[in-house]
Amino acid sequence: MKVVAFARKELGTGASRRQRNAGMTPGIVYGGTEAPVSISLDANALFYALKKESFHSSILDLEIDGKSEKVLLRDFQMHAYKQQVLHADFQRVDPNQKIHTKVPVHFVNGDASPAVKLSHGIISHVTSELDVSCLPGDLPEFIEVDLGNLEVGHSIHLADIKLPKGVSAVQHGGDENPTIATATAPGGAAAAADAAPAEGAEEGEAK
């Protein structure tokens, strides 16, 4: 995905405000062996690009004044109530060095699973993205999780997912095999809790 930017010479709060008033979004490119470069991007184009899932998890071709380099979107700030991007950060990537980033999870075949089709259960998506490490060329736009065999009372964990070639999961918080999705019976614990007082009331009425 190509992103067009321009080198930004005027820095500071006032300069950034003027950029935004002119329909541009200030940003920065950092990383690698080169010095950080302050840039500006078309605000409208950036706003709509941020709506695309792939923009957040793909290697981008960032063109600055005609010179192109490979980058990852690392951060962006939105206005508190306006549909306006205040700032965007991009990190240069080396094709020979592994990167660490988040990749969205796409769940498939949930409606065809025994949990839903046979037991009318509910599948909960516990996570929507995974932390991964890989070379830039191996970075997937998303990771697919097949729910086709999931049954009520069971879960899918990280170890159950087949990651793309060259991609490894990065763990945080001590949980080596976190839950990705889980299936529960319709109503679950809430239904059982609601049923208990009702049964007690019926016994009281019978007495």
Side-chain angles (χ1 to χ4, degrees), residues 8 20 25-28 46 75-78 85-89:
R8 182 164 52 99
R20 298 184 187 107
T25 297
I28 190 169
L46 179 60
D75 195 16
F76 65 97
Q77 292 84 45
M78 298 293 299
V85 188
L86 298 179
H87 197 273
D89 297 2

Side-chain angles (χ1 to χ4, degrees), residues 40-179:
S40 59
L41 308 98
D42 181 273
N44 194 53
L46 179 60
F47 178 81
Y48 285 102
L50 286 167
K51 290 181 176 292
K52 299 177 181 179
E53 183 182 71
S54 59
F55 190 76
H56 298 259
S57 58
S58 300
I59 303 299
L60 306 171
D61 289 310
L62 181 65
E63 182 182 293
I64 307 174
D65 295 338
K67 180 185 176 183
S68 184
E69 53 188 333
K70 303 290 187 182
V71 300
L72 269 175
L73 174 68
R74 279 305 190 190
D75 195 16
F76 65 97
Q77 292 84 45
M78 298 293 299
H79 193 279
Y81 55 88
K82 294 180 182 178
Q83 291 188 332
Q84 182 183 32
V85 188
L86 298 179
H87 197 273
D89 297 2
F90 299 90
Q91 181 182 1
R92 300 185 185 97
V93 297
D94 184 329
N96 300 312
Q97 290 188 359
K98 286 189 174 183
I99 55 174
H100 172 203
T101 189
K102 293 181 183 293
V103 174
V105 173
H106 286 187
F107 295 94
V108 298
N109 298 325
D111 291 342
S113 68
V116 174
K117 199 169 183 179
L118 301 179
S119 304
H120 305 292
I122 298 172
I123 296 179
S124 299
H125 301 163
V126 180
T127 185
S128 60
E129 57 188 13
L130 292 177
D131 282 313
V132 301
S133 175
C134 63
L135 290 174
D138 293 330
L139 181 65
E141 287 191 11
F142 60 86
I143 292 174
E144 188 172 276
V145 176
D146 191 345
L147 304 173
N149 296 318
L150 187 59
E151 299 181 358
V152 162
H154 292 262
S155 299
I156 292 179
H157 295 84
L158 180 59
D160 303 319
I161 299 174
K162 184 178 180 181
L163 296 173
K165 183 180 179 181
V167 178
S168 59
V170 179
Q171 296 305 310
H172 296 285
D175 189 351
E176 296 183 359
N177 194 24
T179 302

